[in-house]
Amino acid sequence: MTNPIFQRSELLLGSECMQRLAHCRVIVFGVGGVGSWCVEALARSGVGHITMVDSDCVAVSNINRQLPALSATVGCPKVEVMRERLLQINPQIEVEAVCRLYNEETAGDFDLDSYDYVIDAIDTLDCKARLIQHALRSRCTLFSSMGAALKMHITQIAVANFDKVQGCPLARALRQKFKRAGTMPRRKFKCVYSPELLKNREETIASAEGGQAAEIKSRSRSNGTLMHAVATFGLMLAGLVIEEEAQKM
């Protein structure tokens, strides 16, 4: 019998799909503005096993857009905050919180063949490129988030195969990186992206994170982000997993 938490989901998806979701294994790399909302949606939709990979702790500047970021959780590892939250949503869920950076040194620690889906919500170019190539060599299905900063109008957020993504600087940088290395992906994978590209209205902002005032030059170090935009990216990534399982009927 389906967990009673998911009765409304079962009405729409059916019991067979809910059973598949319950046995589904998903690994999410990056639980920031995009990944945290993706994880939440996966858990609330009945996915039975979620592994989260992120080395960051909650910062004050995360509070405007990231699910684990509260005044009370500043300084806490994001994956641990999310793990506690997911268990409160569904005590039966299997959650693995990996407080680690995915990079060249750690990539071998992750057996992606043991997962059904890999969600790429990494925002660092080199690490993102490595994860994409790693995932495409495995048996899993990869869904990737392109750049979610400098976006405001969620009606422009869309899904396309990586080679068809247009107007996204991150996708363009990835393609250039793959082309230079002679490693263009041979397997298609879907991306959530938006062609919208706004500009920061402020070039510098004052920051007091860590108790020390500093100037952050937005042009070189960070870009403006809004919760409703990054959350939509994350929810759409989760939706791709659910749609994929529903189509197996």
Side-chain angles (χ1 to χ4, degrees):
M1 182 178 295
T2 301
N3 188 323
I5 295 172
F6 307 115
Q7 288 179 349
R8 293 297 183 96
S9 302
E10 185 175 358
L11 286 173
L12 181 61
L13 297 173
S15 59
E16 291 185 11
C17 182
M18 294 307 300
Q19 287 299 315
R20 285 196 296 275
L21 287 171
H23 291 93
C24 200
R25 291 174 56 83
V26 183
I27 184 167
V28 181
F29 289 88
V31 289
V34 173
S36 61
W37 298 100
C38 176
V39 166
E40 173 98 350
L42 291 171
R44 289 186 183 273
S45 299
V47 170
H49 178 98
I50 299 174
T51 297
M52 300 171 290
V53 183
D54 197 309
S55 63
D56 286 348
C57 293
V58 175
V60 172
S61 61
N62 300 151
I63 293 175
N64 82 313
R65 68 197 184 281
Q66 298 187 16
L67 189 59
L70 304 168
S71 296
T73 61
V74 170
C76 300
K78 293 177 184 178
V79 292
E80 293 296 340
V81 177
M82 288 300 299
R83 180 179 181 277
E84 291 180 13
R85 181 177 176 87
L86 298 193
L87 289 171
Q88 289 177 354
I89 293 170
N90 176 16
Q92 297 179 15
I93 195 172
E94 296 178 0
V95 187
E96 186 175 359
V98 182
C99 191
R100 192 182 313 163
L101 179 68
Y102 178 90
N103 57 20
E104 182 178 2
E105 288 72 32
T106 63
D109 298 339
F110 299 96
D111 178 16
L112 299 189
D113 282 320
S114 66
Y115 294 92
D116 300 296
Y117 296 94
V118 171
I119 303 296
D120 160 36
I122 294 175
D123 55 14
T124 305
L125 183 64
D126 287 347
C127 297
K128 191 177 196 73
R130 182 170 298 278
L131 176 61
I132 288 172
Q133 294 289 10
H134 187 182
L136 295 179
R137 290 193 301 269
S138 73
R139 71 167 191 89
C140 67
T141 298
L142 168 68
F143 296 129
S144 179
S145 172
M146 296 294 105
L150 298 174
K151 317 294 182 187
M152 187 182 300
H153 299 94
I154 60 173
T155 55
Q156 295 191 43
I157 302 173
V159 175
N161 286 329
F162 176 65
D163 60 338
K164 301 297 183 184
V165 172
Q166 299 294 324
C168 175
L170 179 55
R172 183 168 59 250
L174 281 168
R175 285 195 289 260
Q176 291 172 347
K177 184 176 181 64
F178 291 142
K179 186 174 181 179
R180 285 195 302 268
T183 57
M184 286 297 292
R186 296 183 179 180
R187 218 173 103 194
K188 293 185 180 296
F189 63 97
K190 290 181 179 179
C191 301
V192 178
Y193 78 101
S194 171
E196 181 180 30
L197 189 59
L198 302 175
K199 293 183 178 180
N200 290 315
R201 293 190 178 185
E202 297 291 338
E203 291 301 321
T204 61
I205 56 174
S207 171
E209 287 183 13
Q212 294 182 348
E215 273 196 341
I216 297 177
K217 295 185 181 299
S218 59
R219 179 180 297 173
S220 60
R221 292 183 56 185
S222 60
N223 284 310
T225 46
L226 296 169
M227 180 202 147
H228 72 279
V230 298
T232 300
F233 271 70
L235 297 178
M236 289 179 72
L237 287 168
L240 290 173
V241 173
I242 297 160
E243 291 166 19
E244 185 95 354
E245 290 300 308
Q247 289 170 4
K248 294 178 180 179
M249 299 172 65

